[in-house]
Amino acid sequence: MNKKTKYDAVIVGAGFAGMYMLFRLRKMGLSVSVFEAGADLGGTWYWNRYPGARCDVESMQYSYQFDEELQQEWEWSERYATQPEILKYIDHVAKKYNLRSDIRFNTKVTKAFFDEKVNHWQIETDDGEKLIAQYCIMATGCLSSVNKPDFKGKESFTGSIYYTGEWPQEGVDLSNKRVGIIGTGSSAIQSIPVIAKSVDELTVFQRTANYAVPAHNKPLDPDQVRKIKDNYAEFRAKAKLTPTGNLFEIGKDSVTLDSEEERAKSYEKRWQAGGLPFLSAYADVMLDSESNRVAADFVREKIREIVNDRAVADLLTPKNIIGCKRLCVDTGYYETFNKDNVKLVDISASGIDALCESGVRIGKKVYELDVIISATGFDAMTGALLNIDIRGKKGLPLKEKWNEGPKSYLGVALAGFPNLFTITGPGSPSVISNMLPAIEQHVDWITECISYMRNKGFAVIDAQTEAEEEWISHVRDVADMSLRSTCNSWYVGANIPGKPRIYMPYIGGVPAYAKKCKEVASAGYKGFALN
Ligand code: NA7
């Protein structure tokens, strides 16, 4: 076999996870090759370049912390970074550590088979390359497999269809067009106010109304930045002690500890401050339905205050639990529905009936459009992994192992799939926490695991089925305690027809999760078989 086709490790994906994994393994002296479907770095941030795309976690927290020099030298310009600024940051990181040299772009990994005879992974790419590696590390992202609903009559539409999750690299000129947008999740809520400014008409097709709180985005205050940077390590350490790995001020334990007036004051303060900390006003918001109702009612009232037309305001008012679907962070979303060129169409009864030559048909009514934007989200957490033909011991396909939903030990390893690691996989805090520290925690854990194996002379590590079962049952138990698992969100796979319903992220909190991972490692990788 050609020398070049054999590596110690293959990493699939060159977003934040793949980049840091490459950095760590290369430093350890491993030969590593990274494969990336996109033409450049960034993963989900590479593809999601729709108008208004921005991170909903504050930039001072949504960044790497593995290198003090890096976190000191990089200057974010705004409280919430735009997608282009995140790509600039990624480019800076790649140049600083010379990462691109080991990354093959425009190349998809299509197959990964474990060969038990020689204990390595056989990997194939879409350009026909075959290679082998001792370790296969999936850095495929949680929100990277775009959901493209198969709308009836899709092929008959004569205009253009775009997906927010695969926005054309060259951009799209929407000026003076009649545009329809399907979906009212975070991507739509970010893009609608921006798109509405340039188009002739914007029609929003809403299946489920969503909660959004204002971002109050602004340029970062240099004094505030200095204060954080002077004690960045301490700031990061404190964040790791919070349930979501984000440094928010968490309010009182229960809403019952406050009078009605105090509750309103507390939510108003958070509404004015902006962003996801809104949901941390009381620690029981996601545990107690009455506490949740107080938060939800506050936002419902705000919608009524902002939106002039009562019928439109009613339609935009969510009925379900707040925070069950991910809370959206907006800039002028509800206000946009006061514009004359913006129309809201309720499709809650039967969805999109069909696309036709001239637009979208709902019942008997046709909405004439030049462009349709599908902001319909992702086959989250499992989609990107299941898109690859992954086979473990005895040729078991991952699709089969996961036919009743994802099973994983700690969200990082799969029983029967030795030497395969999944960064921020299902069963880990991942999307329910701040993704950047979640990625770093997994990459550090995997690096230490590989280093341990090399030091002790082990060639193979495989999660044990009992340990996996025990972990999954714990993941399920903690999910059942939270209101988050009770609605039809992408967290439970409800947005993808036929997807098994299971609450995928680990919701027991970042500190508890990190402690468990540490304990497993210090006990010589408890729950794993090493050979
Ligand atoms: P989301 O949050 O999954 O939102 C997708 C939206 O598209 C949501 O409003 C869906 O309605 C709607 N949708 C999905 N499929 C259909 C079909 N078939 N017909 C009509 N409407 C549909 O994805 P986003 O990209 O906005 O955000 C994903 C995450 O990225 C977000 O949570 C942040 O973490 C960043 P539904 O609510 O299912 O009724």
Side-chain angles (χ1 to χ4, degrees), residues 2-16:
N2 183 324
K3 214 174 148 212
K4 268 194 195 153
T5 61
K6 190 172 176 203
Y7 296 93
D8 291 321
V10 157
I11 299 170
V12 188
F16 277 117

Side-chain angles (χ1 to χ4, degrees), residues 48 50 56 143 147 149-151 164-165 182-189 205-210 325-328 347 351-352 375-378 431 488-491 494-495:
N48 282 268
Y50 58 82
D56 61 5
L143 298 166
N147 175 30
D150 201 9
F151 297 118
T164 46
I182 302 172
T184 47
S186 183
S187 304
I189 284 176
F205 298 94
Q206 174 186 274
R207 189 163 72 176
T208 313
N210 224 330
K325 291 187 183 224
R326 190 182 176 94
L327 180 65
C328 298
I347 57 162
I352 300 283
T376 42
F378 303 88
V431 286
N488 290 331
S489 67
W490 57 258
Y491 294 119
N495 61 331

Side-chain angles (χ1 to χ4, degrees), residues 138-215:
M138 295 298 177
T140 41
C142 297
L143 298 166
S144 46
S145 175
V146 177
N147 175 30
K148 298 179 176 175
D150 201 9
F151 297 118
K152 210 164 107 192
K154 205 174 178 178
E155 56 307 319
S156 62
F157 178 58
T158 52
S160 311
I161 302 180
Y162 300 105
Y163 295 90
T164 46
E166 263 180 24
W167 199 254
Q169 300 299 306
E170 63 282 10
V172 183
D173 181 10
L174 295 172
S175 53
N176 308 316
K177 298 256 180 6
R178 296 164 305 168
V179 176
I181 183 160
I182 302 172
T184 47
S186 183
S187 304
I189 284 176
Q190 287 189 339
S191 57
I192 284 168
V194 182
I195 292 173
K197 286 187 187 139
S198 66
V199 299
D200 198 20
E201 286 170 17
L202 179 64
T203 308
V204 179
F205 298 94
Q206 174 186 274
R207 189 163 72 176
T208 313
N210 224 330
Y211 294 93
V213 295

Side-chain angles (χ1 to χ4, degrees), residues 25-66:
L25 293 185
R26 215 162 58 176
K27 224 167 181 192
M28 243 170 82
L30 268 68
S31 62
V32 189
S33 190
V34 184
F35 292 91
E36 166 55 52
D40 204 351
L41 298 161
T44 201
W45 291 111
Y46 171 84
W47 298 102
N48 282 268
R49 41 184 91 210
Y50 58 82
R54 202 182 266 286
C55 188
D56 61 5
V57 173
E58 297 195 14
S59 41
M60 293 302 290
Q61 303 203 46
Y62 193 81
S63 48
Y64 287 125
Q65 56 190 288
F66 67 85

Side-chain angles (χ1 to χ4, degrees), residues 112-143:
F113 291 2
F114 187 69
D115 184 339
E116 280 175 81
K117 281 188 234 94
V118 277
N119 287 327
H120 62 214
W121 284 89
Q122 294 180 343
I123 289 151
E124 275 185 49
T125 67
D126 62 349
D127 57 8
E129 187 173 353
K130 294 183 182 177
L131 47 135
I132 58 173
Q134 184 183 3
Y135 299 102
C136 180
I137 301 166
M138 295 298 177
T140 41
C142 297
L143 298 166

